Amino acid sequence: MTATRIGVRGADPYEVVVGAGVLGELPGLLGDRVRTVAVIGNAALPEITRPLCTVLEQAGYTVHPLPVPEGEAAKEVGVLAGLWSEFARLGVTRSDAVVGVGGGATTDLAGFAAASWLRGVRSVLVPTTLLGMVDAAVGGKTGINVPEGKNLVGAFHPPAGVLCDLSTLISMPHQDYISGLAEVIKAGFIADPAILDLVEDDPEGAAAPSGPHTRELVERAVRVKADVVSADLRESGLREILNYGHTLAHAIEKAEDYRFRHGHAVAIGMVYAAELGRLTGRLSADVVERHRSVLRSVGLPTSYPADAWPALRDAMRVDKKARGATLRFVVLDGLAEPGRLEGPDEELLAAAYREVAQ
């Protein structure tokens, strides 16, 4: 089966290549001007990193594997500083490139390392998780975490290309794959309801990386993100809709010291945002219930402990969508009709949380 190429437009256009067994596309994304490639890879995935390095070496590149910790542990200042030191030791120049291989945390880190080294070097991202393919690796947002919050330090740095090899999904732990489905379902609620239909018609198939709908779900979700970021790279307006469910989600992740799966937090956050929409008269109860039913059908959570609200509300004060002291939420005015809610009062925020509390 041939690869699908989805274009991301803008000042620095690039392609997202989707298919099974498509590692051979990587040299074409790097280009023939690059000589040295620093491969930043999840240390727990040598079975993926090794063949990728072999492909690059056979194409004539000088390859330097740089393993990093798994998951959010990669997105720490100390890890980033270590990469900078390695770049200096290896003599990485502006004509060289960085390849990030792994989940969303790894590609976030690799992208920011590329953005910050010599004020920006070429990068290609090879996400190996569903979450990475449909969210983190597409759109040029890079970042690391600090104790005060997630992704508060970062840069916009569009990659030279993104390579989504669907065969890497087969070995994913089940709950990690399910976590990625939250971002796919989010794309359905904000822009492409056909995604919701696919999941609802066959939840079991949607929840399996080898299922009959995997490629279509990935391609549809990538197209949604590509269309949005093509129109708004720097999150000045439209791009905010991609943060549907993320205000509460990021608060949950911080409260859990980033040990809670991102997609699971987003699932809860989407139900919370849907309840905000319902309580303000913008969204019907039927669409709110559809949030719960479609998320539950694939095994995603839709509630969180009631006594967590004070800590979550405090964590939401540090949110990238906030303007000064004013909180901003992405809400829906209807299916695939995203809007914004600015400065909701405290009782509304608490009332919406009571609807997701367990």
Side-chain angles (χ1 to χ4, degrees):
M1 190 178 293
T2 58
T4 300
R5 299 175 185 278
I6 300 170
V8 181
R9 304 179 304 279
D12 299 297
Y14 59 94
E15 288 185 331
V16 182
V17 180
V18 182
V22 293
L23 280 184
E25 300 276 347
L26 184 54
L29 295 176
L30 281 169
D32 55 11
R33 295 183 181 179
V34 172
R35 290 291 174 264
T36 297
V37 181
V39 177
I40 298 172
N42 183 337
L45 296 173
E47 71 279 6
I48 294 174
T49 306
R50 274 197 301 264
L52 181 146
C53 290
T54 299
V55 167
L56 294 176
E57 288 166 350
Q58 290 175 342
Y61 300 102
T62 299
V63 181
H64 298 285
L66 300 177
V68 295
E70 186 175 12
E72 292 294 318
K75 292 176 61 172
E76 295 184 356
V77 175
V79 177
L80 175 65
L83 290 175
W84 287 334
S85 294
E86 285 295 300
F87 291 169
R89 182 181 68 82
L90 296 170
V92 174
T93 71
R94 282 185 176 172
S95 61
D96 297 322
V98 169
V99 171
V101 190
T106 306
T107 57
D108 275 359
L109 169 71
F112 187 55
S116 53
W117 185 248
L118 302 178
R119 298 187 177 89
V121 298
R122 191 174 183 86
S123 65
V124 171
L125 304 179
V126 185
T128 60
T129 65
L130 182 58
L131 182 62
M133 290 181 185
V134 303
D135 184 41
V138 180
K141 281 172 69 173
T142 70
I144 59 170
N145 303 331
V146 293
E148 290 73 21
K150 185 174 180 178
N151 294 329
L152 293 180
V153 178
F156 292 99
H157 186 65
V162 178
L163 187 62
C164 300
D165 189 337
L166 300 177
S167 63
T168 64
L169 300 177
I170 304 301
S171 60
M172 281 191 68
H174 179 67
Q175 283 302 314
D176 290 344
Y177 186 80
I178 296 302
S179 176
L181 273 181
E183 291 285 358
V184 176
I185 291 168
K186 178 202 73 179
F189 277 115
I190 65 172
D192 184 3
I195 289 173
L196 306 179
D197 296 336
L198 282 168
V199 174
E200 289 168 330
D201 289 346
D202 184 11
E204 186 175 345
S210 58
H213 313 298
T214 300
R215 182 162 181 160
E216 183 175 0
L217 288 171
V218 170
E219 289 179 1
R220 283 185 175 276
V222 168
R223 283 195 176 95
V224 168
K225 186 155 192 182
D227 286 347
V228 171
V229 301
S230 293
D232 179 19
L233 170 65
R234 298 185 177 273
E235 207 167 58
S236 58
L238 176 65
R239 186 166 179 161
E240 279 192 344
I241 70 173
L242 297 172
N243 285 319
Y244 184 57
H246 283 57
T247 300
L248 184 66
H250 284 161
I252 290 172
E253 289 178 286
K254 184 181 178 186
E256 296 275 356
D257 197 23
Y258 303 110
R259 292 188 294 265
F260 201 88
R261 288 181 176 87
H262 175 70
H264 287 54
V266 168
I268 299 165
M270 283 193 286
V271 176
Y272 178 72
E275 288 290 358
L276 280 175
R278 181 184 67 83
L279 291 172
T280 52
R282 301 169 68 159
L283 190 64
S284 72
D286 288 346
V287 177
V288 177
E289 182 52 36
R290 193 176 188 187
H291 280 67
R292 289 189 169 91
S293 64
V294 70
L295 291 166
R296 287 171 177 165
S297 74
V298 295
L300 283 162
T302 57
S303 60
Y304 199 70
D307 60 3
W309 174 242
L312 297 180
R313 178 63 187 92
D314 187 61
M316 284 195 290
R317 299 182 196 282
V318 183
D319 183 81
K320 298 190 300 298
K321 294 179 297 305
R323 299 293 184 269
T326 302
L327 266 182
R328 291 155 53 93
F329 288 85
V330 178
V331 295
L332 296 180
D333 294 321
L335 190 59
E337 296 179 17
R340 289 157 187 78
L341 176 65
E342 297 196 26
D345 64 47
E346 292 299 321
E347 177 49 38
L348 174 62
L349 294 173
Y353 188 74
R354 287 194 290 271
E355 297 297 323
V356 302
Q358 62 184 19

